[in-house]
Amino acid sequence: MKQMENTLSRWFKAARPIVPAMTALLSSSCCIIQLALNFFSFSCAGFAVLTPFRPILTAITIILLTYSFYARGWKDKKMAGTTLVSIVLLVSPEIVEWINQNQTQSQFLAVTTTYLVQLQGLGCIACANRIKSALLAVDVIESATVFFDNSSAVVRASQANVAHIVLDTIKGIDLKYDANILESW
């Protein structure tokens, strides 16, 4: 019994620096894990179910980091690394959203058509980023901004009458995605 207590004590002591990073990863799982899966061409894994718990997981991470600093101090190198990783993981959804909405190409051709697209099937910000990347890979599409909050996109094309290309591109990413053109100008 004593040996089991010592083993558990050593395990908890060794895991202490990792736990804040793990809660931060869970807090940002709709982004980080999904972006990694998208990189390897996997579909959405459904981590968006954790999005409502993000504030709770963020608070737990901050409490764990605070406790760890209180218990171990500022000079511990493991804590410095854990803190850095945890902070990057905590803000990663905001970083992905910022990149997704602010990254546009600066040059447009003289004749452009802009489409307002309603999207279905968006589960998380990583899904929005996946659609944006697929749209920007099409030659006639000059810019694309995908809004996760209201499941829409604004797509600017260098040619007129390419709505079918926009819709086919979105629908071709994954069977769960669907799209409709709401407006064009």
Side-chain angles (χ1 to χ4, degrees):
M1 185 71 166
K2 184 76 168 167
Q3 182 180 5
M4 185 176 191
E5 286 179 20
N6 287 339
T7 303
L8 286 174
S9 176
R10 277 186 276 142
W11 185 83
F12 283 123
K13 189 175 180 180
R16 191 180 314 154
I18 298 170
V19 174
M22 294 304 294
T23 57
L25 180 62
L26 285 174
S27 172
S28 66
S29 62
C30 66
C31 269
I32 297 298
I33 296 172
Q34 190 58 53
L35 286 173
L37 291 173
N38 289 352
F39 179 76
F40 293 109
S41 299
F42 288 104
S43 182
C44 186
F47 289 107
V49 298
L50 294 174
T51 301
F53 303 107
R54 186 163 186 256
I56 295 167
L57 291 166
T58 301
I60 290 170
T61 302
I62 292 169
I63 290 167
L64 288 170
L65 285 172
T66 303
Y67 172 75
S68 295
F69 275 120
Y70 176 76
R72 300 177 97 181
W74 289 93
K75 295 181 181 181
D76 189 350
K77 290 181 182 181
K78 285 183 184 178
M79 275 313 304
T82 299
T83 302
L84 180 64
V85 168
S86 297
I87 290 171
V88 168
L89 288 172
L90 284 175
V91 298
S92 64
E94 286 76 18
I95 293 170
V96 169
E97 184 174 11
W98 181 78
I99 289 170
N100 189 30
Q101 292 187 12
N102 292 329
Q103 187 181 47
T104 59
Q105 295 180 357
S106 61
Q107 295 180 348
F108 298 107
L109 298 175
V111 178
T112 61
T113 304
T114 303
Y115 298 97
L116 176 60
V117 184
Q118 182 65 46
L119 303 169
Q120 291 88 31
L122 287 180
C124 61
I125 294 173
C127 294
N129 197 41
R130 186 176 187 197
I131 290 173
K132 178 183 178 181
S133 296
L135 287 168
L136 291 175
V138 177
D139 290 337
V140 297
I141 296 177
E142 294 294 322
S143 71
T145 304
V146 180
F147 301 96
F148 170 69
D149 295 337
N150 65 358
S151 297
S152 67
V154 176
V155 181
R156 185 179 301 221
S158 61
Q159 299 174 11
N161 302 319
V162 294
H164 65 284
I165 294 174
V166 172
L167 296 176
D168 291 345
T169 300
I170 294 168
K171 292 175 182 180
I173 297 169
D174 195 311
L175 293 176
K176 73 175 191 165
Y177 300 131
D178 196 12
N180 298 307
I181 302 292
L182 296 177
E183 245 182 282
S184 66
W185 60 92

